[in-house]
Amino acid sequence: MERELWKVLYVLACQLDKGWPRGLYKDCEIVVVFLWAVIHDRSTYWATDLKNWPENWHMYLPSQSTMSRRLGSSGIGQLLDDMAEQYVLISTMATRWVKIVDAKPLPIGGHSKDPDARWGRSVRGPAKGYKIFAIWGNGPIPLTWLVAPMNESETTMAQRMIPDIQGGGYLLGDCIYDSNSLYAFVRRYNHQLVAPRKRPRTGLGHRHHDPDRLRAMNLLQTKFGKDLMAEREHIEQQFAHLTNFGGGLAPLPNWVRRITRVCKWVQAKFLINVVQYNRTSPKSAIAVA
């Protein structure tokens, strides 16, 4: 199955790479070797060994040093961004007026020497590592996403992502996003934030509250508001699908350290997830024309 998923991304990378070769290898050749490693949850060193490829594969493989040098180049980053953008554009067109914001922790070992990782709040208590912050629409790839250390605030990262979403509608979040300043910020981009209160059994006090926060509180008392928040389960399904297949996003392996490597690894997993989603959900598949 991994080979079939990889073939789709191989074709897309070759189609989008319009640049001149930088050295012996084009950007698309570096990307497809990297994707071969990611889809098998192996290191790039493993992918540079010809014995780990199909017998009929005749491409000259780059060395590990070439892979390390080229993966940090702007050309490779741009090609991966272009590949993701092909799917994000179509996902945006299919997205309804409801969008969902959430985060997923990516913990690593507590004794790791990774200087970019930080201790922060995870699902079951404190953990060291990173988090994926994402705003999802209807598709299997987020409309916008960021990776940051574990200690970064959800509301702060949401403010960095919200300018990237288009259109208008409702933005659903959990109680972490219940913030007057965030309600005001979301309104500037034609969306109404809806999040349950952090302290639902307390009064509002005498401080000023943003009008959109008050509106969301009243909305959640209605049947429409409750049905609207039920849509938030969709993001749990999206993160579950991202992790629940061979080649999906598993815990970060020990060779994926430093935030730049984590970002590229996560981006590759998102691309693989789109292709897997197309195979298992043909009626709602997102394909590149």
Side-chain angles (χ1 to χ4, degrees):
M1 183 187 73
E2 288 86 352
R3 189 181 305 182
E4 295 302 316
L5 301 178
W6 177 83
K7 285 180 180 178
V8 177
L9 295 173
Y10 172 88
V11 172
L12 180 60
C14 293
Q15 289 175 344
L16 294 178
D17 185 11
K18 306 299 183 182
W20 292 94
R22 295 176 173 84
L24 295 176
Y25 301 96
K26 298 181 67 176
D27 286 343
C28 65
E29 294 172 328
I30 300 297
V31 166
V32 297
V33 173
F34 173 62
L35 290 172
W36 184 258
V38 175
I39 206 168
H40 289 90
D41 288 311
R42 296 292 188 270
S43 65
T44 54
Y45 178 80
W46 175 90
T48 59
D49 192 338
L50 190 59
K51 71 180 182 182
N52 296 316
W53 289 74
E55 293 181 358
N56 59 350
W57 186 254
H58 303 296
M59 172 181 159
Y60 289 103
L61 296 174
S63 65
Q64 169 60 35
S65 60
T66 299
M67 289 292 297
S68 296
R69 183 178 69 255
R70 293 286 299 278
L71 281 173
S73 67
S74 59
I76 299 299
Q78 186 60 56
L79 180 55
L80 286 169
D81 288 344
D82 291 343
M83 294 173 68
E85 189 65 22
Q86 293 293 308
Y87 295 115
V88 170
L89 286 173
I90 300 173
S91 181
T92 300
M93 291 186 290
T95 293
R96 301 167 299 169
W97 42 272
V98 177
K99 304 175 182 72
I100 309 168
V101 59
D102 206 353
K104 176 179 176 58
L106 298 173
I108 62 175
H111 297 286
S112 172
K113 303 300 182 182
D114 184 351
D116 295 334
R118 295 289 185 272
W119 283 92
R121 184 178 299 176
S122 185
V123 177
R124 297 180 179 177
K128 187 177 183 179
Y130 301 88
K131 275 186 182 179
I132 304 172
F133 301 88
I135 296 178
W136 294 80
N138 268 1
I141 189 169
L143 301 175
T144 181
W145 62 276
L146 294 168
V147 172
M150 188 80 77
N151 64 341
E152 288 289 345
S153 164
E154 276 82 352
T155 56
T156 300
M157 299 305 294
Q159 290 184 13
R160 290 179 56 185
M161 295 187 294
I162 287 167
D164 294 333
I165 61 177
Q166 301 176 7
Y170 291 95
L171 179 66
L172 309 182
D174 59 23
C175 62
I176 295 176
Y177 298 93
D178 180 33
S179 163
N180 278 300
S181 60
L182 186 59
Y183 274 99
F185 187 86
V186 172
R187 182 172 60 248
R188 290 165 51 188
Y189 295 92
N190 304 316
H191 284 76
Q192 164 71 56
L193 176 63
V194 180
R197 292 183 60 194
K198 290 181 180 178
R199 300 177 181 87
R201 298 180 181 178
T202 61
L204 294 178
H206 301 287
R207 60 176 295 187
H208 171 76
H209 293 277
D210 188 84
D212 276 16
R213 182 170 186 251
L214 297 175
R215 181 173 184 267
M217 290 166 54
N218 292 328
L219 187 66
L220 289 174
Q221 303 303 314
T222 66
K223 183 179 183 303
F224 173 76
K226 293 175 182 178
D227 291 343
L228 189 65
M229 283 305 294
E231 290 288 317
R232 200 181 168 279
E233 295 181 2
H234 179 67
I235 198 168
E236 305 297 339
Q237 297 170 1
Q238 294 287 25
F239 277 131
H241 190 279
L242 178 64
T243 58
N244 288 346
F245 68 94
L249 181 63
L252 292 177
N254 55 15
W255 59 86
V256 182
R257 295 294 182 265
R258 306 302 302 265
I259 196 164
T260 53
R261 293 181 181 176
V262 175
C263 286
K264 280 190 171 60
W265 185 268
V266 170
Q267 187 174 37
K269 290 297 186 181
F270 277 136
L271 291 170
I272 295 165
N273 182 56
V274 174
V275 180
Q276 167 65 10
Y277 182 86
N278 285 352
R279 293 179 73 252
T280 57
S281 305
K283 292 183 180 180
S284 55
I286 294 180
V288 175

